[in-house]
Amino acid sequence: MRKSVKYFLWIAIALVVAYNSVYFKKLSDLNAGAAKAFDAAAYANNYFYKQLPAAIAKAPDIDKLIAMLKTDTAATFKTYGHALAIGTTRYFLVQGKGTITNIDDNGVWLSTASGNSVLLATEYVYGNALRDASGLIDINQFSSTMDLNNIAAEVDKIVRTKVLPPVKSDLQKGNTIQFTGAVGLNQAHLQLGDIEITPVSLKTIH
């Protein structure tokens, strides 16, 4: 009888120990803890310095883009425009040069070879133009819209802190500027007389 009691006592102890040694956790909780936080700054740097230059090299001249938009708006939007969001606004990569005609609180106004007046933004660089215009970023690769927003913010930050400061003080009326950048246009309400270019690069030719 004593042996039976002792036997069952040991079984009870073993069960208690086993119960306290085993616990369950949601797989989603484990995955969340293991996943690294998205590094938008690193992504933006790689995109801006390693991916964007090749796309910029294929971008149309600003005068050519404007001419095509006047001739066949729909085809030009389809061929050269990109966007991550659904809507009538599309973003275009451009390159070109122009002579500075005015400098104001918004940026530098240029007159191109074809006589088009465009604004090169040097004061307020914000938005999705640089992120979207290349068509290189696939929205399906991101699970969070916040990550995409952070990419746009970090790319714009590169322009504000790295691209513009070395040249802004040298820009003056009459200078000829060579530039690359991105343009946002609304197909439903197309305005070609006040195009604003978010710069990727700019330099004074003379």
Side-chain angles (χ1 to χ4, degrees), residues 14-75:
L15 288 174
V16 170
V17 171
Y19 177 81
N20 290 321
S21 299
V22 178
Y23 65 95
F24 297 93
K25 200 170 186 178
K26 289 183 180 179
L27 182 60
S28 59
D29 292 340
L30 292 174
N31 290 337
K36 289 184 178 180
F38 177 68
D39 191 340
Y43 187 100
N45 271 276
N46 181 74
Y47 169 74
F48 190 88
Y49 291 109
K50 294 184 178 180
Q51 295 179 284
L52 197 53
I56 282 283
K58 301 175 184 178
D61 181 88
I62 185 63
D63 284 332
K64 180 181 178 182
L65 179 67
I66 291 173
M68 289 188 295
L69 287 167
K70 290 178 179 178
T71 302
D72 193 336
T73 302

Side-chain angles (χ1 to χ4, degrees), residues 112-183:
T112 68
S114 297
N116 292 302
S117 181
V118 298
L119 174 65
L120 193 62
T122 58
E123 300 300 325
Y124 305 103
V125 178
Y126 298 97
N128 301 328
L130 294 180
R131 183 196 67 187
D132 291 10
S134 67
L136 295 174
I137 297 178
D138 183 1
I139 192 173
N140 295 314
Q141 294 180 347
F142 298 87
S143 59
S144 169
T145 56
M146 182 60 69
D147 290 343
L148 290 167
N149 292 337
N150 289 337
I151 290 172
E154 291 293 338
V155 171
D156 291 339
K157 183 180 178 181
I158 292 172
V159 175
R160 292 195 306 271
T161 61
K162 304 294 184 182
V163 175
L164 292 174
V167 297
K168 275 182 66 175
S169 60
D170 295 329
L171 300 178
Q172 53 186 304
K173 197 172 179 178
N175 285 351
T176 298
I177 303 298
Q178 188 170 2
F179 62 85
T180 64
V183 173

